[in-house]
Amino acid sequence: MTFELPVERNVLGGVLEECGTDPMTGFHRDGSCACGPHDPGLHAVCAVMTAEFLEHQRSIGNDLVTPRPEWHFPGLVPGDRWCVVAVRWLQSYAAGVAAPVVLAATSERALEVLPLEALKQCSVDVPDDPGDLS
């Protein structure tokens, strides 16, 4: 007998889209910010790395730059997309250096920790119809 986990939704209520595969991100290293029941840290926020965000994270004890092969972690550089722990993203948001967020690839579980308005303020999503950008 096999069991399927429910499909996780994104913070906008749609199907959770892929965050990134180069480097391969996600708690399950499958390119998705799906948390499932086994991710106590909530690696739910699909963030686009910036130098300021990476430096802030390092300054608060979360080094995302140094490779850690034992955790299948390549080390990140600006421009990489990465599923960030929601509380860690919130710390950088409060400090004014939040990484941009891809809402369609951010798990709805992030809303357990983060206000949707904060995520929207930092959104870099592009709608299907760019004419909607006004």
Side-chain angles (χ1 to χ4, degrees), residues 76-123:
L76 302 176
V77 297
D80 286 344
R81 286 181 168 200
W82 195 253
C83 295
V84 176
V85 170
V87 170
R88 293 295 193 171
W89 186 88
L90 183 59
Q91 290 171 315
S92 289
Y93 176 80
V97 291
V101 175
V102 180
L103 296 176
T106 296
S107 170
E108 68 185 345
R109 295 222 29 225
L111 299 176
E112 295 172 18
V113 176
L114 305 169
L116 180 57
E117 196 52 45
L119 293 167
K120 284 183 174 181
Q121 287 174 4
C122 298
S123 170

Side-chain angles (χ1 to χ4, degrees), residues 65-78:
V65 176
T66 304
R68 301 294 301 259
E70 68 274 21
W71 294 339
H72 306 286
F73 180 71
L76 302 176
V77 297

Side-chain angles (χ1 to χ4, degrees), residues 3-42:
F3 295 97
E4 285 190 40
L5 293 175
V7 174
E8 286 192 39
R9 313 296 290 172
N10 64 39
V11 294
L12 301 173
V15 174
L16 184 63
E17 295 181 10
E18 182 178 89
C19 180
T21 58
D22 186 21
M24 187 64 76
T25 191
F27 178 75
H28 301 285
R29 292 297 190 267
D30 61 359
S32 168
C33 293
C35 299
H38 306 295
D39 179 6
L42 286 179

